[in-house]
């Protein structure tokens, strides 16, 4: 999303649901966020949310595989908590 906002087809969410093989949770909220992502004023915030969401998903995968008691997981859990707070704040701004 660097530069101009991304242009998405009207059926973007339907395609995402077909790709996921299931209905999307919070579909209306996703539609609002996608509209916000198209606004150049919110592009940087939206990019940050996407980055943190990818980090969050990866971190959760590591925690599931290694278990919560591993030494490295404690640091990752702290980083995950910070990322969750940042995403929450950014989504509030976007909405």
């Amino acid at each position: 999303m660097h530069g101009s906002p991304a242009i998405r087809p009207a059926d973007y969410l339907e395609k995402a649901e077909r790709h996921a093989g299931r209905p999307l949770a919070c579909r209306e909220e996703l539609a609002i966020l996608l509209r916000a992502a198209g606004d150049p004023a919110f592009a940087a915030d939206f990019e940050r949310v996407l980055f943190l969401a990818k980090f969050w998903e990866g971190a959760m995968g590591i925690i599931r595989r290694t278990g919560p008691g591993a030494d490295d997981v404690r640091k990752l859990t702290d980083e995950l908590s910070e990322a969750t707070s940042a995403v929450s704040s950014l989504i509030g701004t976007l909405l």
Side-chain angles (χ1 to χ4, degrees), residues 33-54:
L33 289 172
L34 289 173
R35 281 194 300 277
D39 185 335
F42 295 118
D45 287 339
F46 194 75
E47 283 184 34
R48 182 80 175 137
V49 166
L50 290 177
F51 172 80
L52 291 170
K54 290 176 187 175

Side-chain angles (χ1 to χ4, degrees), residues 12-25:
Y12 184 80
L13 289 175
E14 289 82 8
K15 288 180 179 179
E17 287 177 327
R18 281 194 303 274
H19 178 75
R22 61 177 174 79
L24 297 172

